[in-house]
Amino acid sequence: MSRPEGMRSSRRSLQVKFVSDEDVLKHISDDAGTKVRKEKAQLSVSVKRFVKKLENISDNEAQEILEEKNYVASLGICAQDPVGNGSNISGGEVYSFQTPKRSNKMAELASELAQTPEQNVAPDHSKCPEKMAKTPQNSSNFMWAEIVWKCHLKKKEFVSTTPYRLRKRLAAPDPYLESESEYSTSCSEEEDEEEQKEVSTVMSDQKTPAKAKTTSAPPPRNSLAKKKKEQKMSNLVEEYFEAHSSSKVLTSDRTLQKFRKRRLNQQTLHDLLKNAPLAYAAEIRDLNRQHESLFSKWMLQLHLGFNIVLYGLGSKRDLLEKFRTSLLQDSVHLVINGYFPSITVRSILNSITEEVLDHIGTFRSPLDQLEFITKRFKEDSSLELYVLIHNLDSQMLRGERSQQILAQLSSLPSIYLIASIDHINAPLMWDQAKLSLYNWLWYETTTFNPYVEETSYENSLLVQQSGSLALSSLIHVLHSLTLNARGIFRLLAQHQLEKKDNPSYPGLSFQDFYQQCREAFLVNSDLTLRAQLTEFRDHKLIRTKRGADGVEYLLIPVDDSTLTDFLEKEDEDV
Amino acid sequence: GCFVFKPSTKKRRFSDKTAHDFRCTNNDSEDTELRFVTCQSLWNQIKSETEQIQENLNKQLLDNLVSFLSRSHSDFQEKTTEWTCRMKFREIPTAALVLGVNVTDHDLTFRGLSDVLQDNITPYVALLEAKDCPGIKNLMQKLMGQLMNCDIDVDSLEDEDCVQVSQNRIRCSMSSLISWYDSVTKKTDSETPSKKRNSSSRHWQSPPVVVIFKDMESFTTKVLQDFIVISSQHIHELPLVLIFGIATSPMIIHRLLPHSVSSLLCIELFQSLSCKEHLSTIIDKLLLTSRFPFKLGEKVLQVLINIFLYHDFSVQNFIKGFQLCIVEHFYSQPLSVLCCHLVDMKKRVYSLSHDQCENIRRLPSFRRYVEKQESGKQIELLTNDSFLKEETEKLLEDLHVYHENYVPILRCLHVFTSSLPKYPLGKQIRELHCACLENQVWETEEYESSLQLARMLNKTDLVTMLQQCVEILMSSSVKEFDKAVEKLKEFLTQFQNLEEASQERDVSVSPQKELQKKTDLYHLQKTLLELKESRRSKKLTKFEMLRFEVVDYIDSLVRRYLVPADNRTLHEIVYFNAAAVLRGHLNAAPRTALHTALNNPHWYLKNQALKCDGGGISNKAPDICIVYKLHLECGRLINLVDWLEAFSTVVMAAEEPNADAASSDQVDDVIHARFIRAVSELELLGFIKPSKQKTDHVARLTWGGC
């Protein structure tokens, strides 16, 4: 078939056939809405306020729904508030179920997004561009659907009510389909990859019409899924289980190595980002200025016994820092970088006792320490302390015990806590008891600032690990060991490096290792070596694994480059 | 990770630092000082009031507990060494205190309890919490620490460190505890009454040792069992009493402890007041009274009640919300300086500055009021400050009178509505209050239907309700209600008369009897038809007439006095209505805020380029938004390479729409870096995590998508 034909027919059919999911949903929810309204009219005598519910246990289910609606309505009253927290979104939008995904949907969306600039020229017709952006995809769907239709006509076994699975099974081995159309039903990874390559090259080439690339993009599953949705909502259930049952993940096999892309290390990354201009700097500044106007209110509320927690997208570090420099200069305050990977509650408590309270001495447990702090603050009413915690929800502080201690600390009347949280599940850290200890006032401070400091510690996948931390700890530990022990470790390291090209290297077997150590006059018996190895193991310097034949294999769980560095350093020392 | 900053010159805090904050925050520095003082005094009043309420509510419970404790060890006093007694003493007297799920309120109860105990029964009270006692050793340590400390308090020993040392040195065991107890009691026995008796004369010779487990459910079973078994061995030497704080149900004791252990306890059950009743009392005493000038608007009250009912059942949190309301109101409303008692009001009104007068003129409710006046007065009001002040004073007095009238009538209405079937206007007075605040209650369907139902009440109910109303109105001591009271009393006497009249009428002929007399079929049919006819166009009986009259009268009272506060002039001064602010601070939704920021950055960043309707997102959006949007299209695992490529496609299209194909082959380093940043930000936010399942893949942590 020729393209123009397909295009025209697609346009025609668009009006008739294609109903977007949103419309379907809207239709359904509208229906439900009227139903509820009717019910409400009937039940208006019996129920008005949902609060009643707790007293009236004998309520029927319809009322319950109604009450829930009321609840949402009454809690959602802040929708019209001008400060504009984004809280006028229903929960269903935020917390939705998993839906089955096609493998190259991302590329599609990317291409779709890439097209938008042309539409942005005319912002008045914002509806149109959207439609335009969708048409190519739809037309391709339609074309494919037509092919299927024809195939089935030929075979004369197309039944519109055939369930999806059956149809799929029918369609998959269809020889006509394979031969007639150039699209293949299989989702093989090579194909995918090629396809995507094609897509990406085509996409970057703006001269090529958009249709060409998208026609090649969607695999058959895509349009089948579309058709299915058109037909019946009941398939949603099937879809749900399909999405959840399959343990296999359909993603392409491409890796960054094949991608001929060197990994950036932390430093170059930092430099690159520093040079890149920050988008929307003016707007972000406006946003932040808005938050800064709240500073004195925060102070007031802190003094009245509340503690303040900041949430929202964007790093709140600069904001808190500004708060600190502008208002806290004259008072004792403690800044805690929660995102710091080795922060502990212990260190927080220590800095309070040692530096704020000038106490010299150690404590048996954090609880004792907390008790001491509590006592001191209660005794001396002139003592007061502002505590700023960046990322209260960080990996190290989110534990139950740490939160408990911090909550108790914050409940002291002369300790003022102001903290920020970022993780989407951060509020789950706190139960009612902790919440009441914290006595939070929530402030939404969406800043859109990049999380520069916070993510610099995160061992990102794409950032090359420098391994400097591991190396220094290795050296540190080994320096405290005897000369013999260091020699033993050296032997093991050298052996491991020799075998570094062998990917299935299981480690050095204990017997061989013992032999080598004896030859190097490092140990004199099996037992001494074992004692030495136990020490290594305690310091997590080595790992032992039992092979299939029961032999013990020894391995240093450090990557090769670090190990090489280590040996070089050792050579320098000796 | 921790940095302490100390000011170079250690300034002592100024005495009124908080007031200072309050002041410097307001751009219009009108009467801020006064406002702050008013706010603080109001809050202190309310706080002491709530504490008083709590104390009163708990009084019954505490009295019961105290009598239980004094009973439990009366035998111990007699120091009998008989075998039977010993056998009995293997059981530890235990009070199970069912407190309800509002765990956050329990602290106050326990504090009150331990105070009462220390005053009346024994100096030896130990409060234990599960989080302090992961093992039996910690428990004993904690227990002994607390007991020995209260020993210091009682005897007010100077040599504190000696005890401190001994506490550390002593091995924490039951036997050392017993020896300590012996020594303490012996000491108090042997000492002359001159010194110590004045402080502890209330206590007995050998007071019991009370151990309170604040949150029994959270204790590990092992610790509890061990402690109970051990202490039951020593119960004849140490008069121990346990108190379990229980949040769920008493069944939990048996679930936590096996029979062999629970049989060592002699449990008595105590039930505290339910938190709902507590809340009702609080609302009754704080809101439905004209004592406090500050009022909550309908939406605000609704939010507070919702948080209570749907989130925590915590009265403490409710009061905290109330405090926040007060602070917010006085902070944000410059005219709140007039939100004070009537006595101070006059003076304050006259000392208002010109700016404040302008503020009054700007109030919407005042504008409405001005519009209703004739033109001469309008000009006066808008130009003459002193005239405005007089008028303001009058209006504020009116407002006060309105509040004074409002509450009794509300209670009267509640008497009626709370007994109707299905409670169309709510069972609790707070619901009725909300309904009345929300809009003109007599226009609602619920009110209509409740009047319908009220018109069908029987006489006895109606009479008791009227009597209740009379009592309420009498007790309110508002002069205006004298007439209403009289009217209601008149109704009551009319009902009385009616009763007598109807008794008389009962004696008179009844139609049924007449009916029986007839035997003629024709006549029977005729009379039946007549009866039917008369029933249809039945003339109302006297009682029914009266009932209608009563209901109409109540209705007229409601229409007159229960006008929603929004309609009153100057209501902005005393009513706090910013429900959205309150909800944002107390019941925030961090996830939604993130969702909005990621999906619709235009909400926050007011830039035309970001504007995009219809659920989409512009390709000029911040990096993290684009990366987020792309990741929504993926399943459980995301291939980083694909992701990066998609990202660079979008970004490059946004930056230079006419890019040539050559550059697209190799992703720009800067874009790569931006991608890395965005991805690690998503990781920090908890949307993805690194996965080892496949090379260069990350796992999604959220469901759903576009």
Side-chain angles (χ1 to χ4, degrees), chain B residues 284-301:
Chain B
D284 212 51
K285 291 269 160 62
L286 292 187
L287 299 178
L288 301 177
T289 167
S290 48
R291 273 184 61 204
F292 302 108
F294 175 77
K295 304 277 171 198
L296 291 181
E298 185 262 339
K299 290 217 170 98
V300 172
L301 183 57

Side-chain angles (χ1 to χ4, degrees), chain B residues 364-543:
Chain B
S365 70
F366 188 75
R367 282 184 178 186
R368 259 179 275 140
Y369 172 74
V370 170
E371 275 159 26
K372 277 184 210 144
Q373 309 302 315
E374 71 253 25
S375 57
K377 205 179 175 190
Q378 278 186 359
I379 294 166
E380 261 318 79
L381 278 173
L382 292 179
T383 53
N384 189 344
D385 276 0
S386 55
F387 184 73
L388 174 81
K389 283 175 187 169
E390 269 171 43
E391 198 66 21
T392 309
E393 193 197 330
K394 222 181 292 164
L395 287 170
L396 282 174
E397 268 167 16
D398 280 354
L399 198 61
H400 185 76
V401 170
Y402 158 76
H403 285 138
E404 273 187 342
N405 296 338
Y406 176 89
V407 177
I409 298 295
L410 185 76
R411 287 187 204 279
C412 287
L413 182 61
H414 180 241
V415 166
F416 273 88
T417 55
S418 62
S419 57
L420 297 175
K422 286 201 172 180
Y423 313 103
L425 274 171
K427 209 176 189 178
Q428 305 279 333
I429 194 162
R430 57 167 188 259
E431 296 163 74
L432 192 63
H433 180 54
C434 281
C436 290
L437 282 177
E438 194 180 5
N439 42 31
Q440 302 186 328
V441 71
W442 54 88
E443 280 173 359
T444 59
E445 272 175 48
E446 290 82 3
Y447 183 77
E448 207 51 53
S449 59
S450 52
L451 277 197
Q452 294 272 338
L453 290 169
R455 290 198 183 103
M456 288 185 257
L457 283 170
N458 64 27
K459 201 169 75 185
T460 41
D461 283 355
L462 206 57
V463 169
T464 46
M465 281 178 200
L466 280 178
Q467 276 161 350
Q468 277 175 317
C469 287
V470 169
E471 271 166 40
I472 290 168
L473 292 181
M474 298 265 272
S475 64
S476 74
S477 72
V478 178
K479 285 228 174 61
E480 224 175 312
F481 289 140
D482 286 352
K483 237 199 273 168
V485 170
E486 244 163 59
K487 184 87 179 162
L488 289 179
K489 277 185 176 162
E490 199 186 308
F491 281 133
L492 278 172
T493 49
Q494 278 180 10
F495 274 118
Q496 206 74 41
N497 296 340
L498 204 67
E499 208 166 306
E500 284 155 21
S502 67
Q503 274 170 359
E504 281 167 26
R505 220 194 359 197
D506 270 351
V507 187
S508 71
V509 232
S510 78
Q512 256 72 19
K513 270 180 188 160
E514 253 177 55
L515 209 111
Q516 278 169 356
K517 282 181 205 162
K518 311 281 186 204
T519 47
D520 185 354
L521 196 64
Y522 171 72
H523 278 279
L524 178 66
Q525 197 180 8
K526 205 179 158 195
T527 31
L528 279 175
L529 273 175
E530 268 169 19
L531 259 176
K532 198 180 163 196
E533 197 72 10
S534 71
R535 205 163 284 169
R536 191 177 291 160
S537 64
K538 187 182 171 187
K539 275 197 85 182
L540 293 169
T541 64
K542 248 186 180 167
F543 165 67

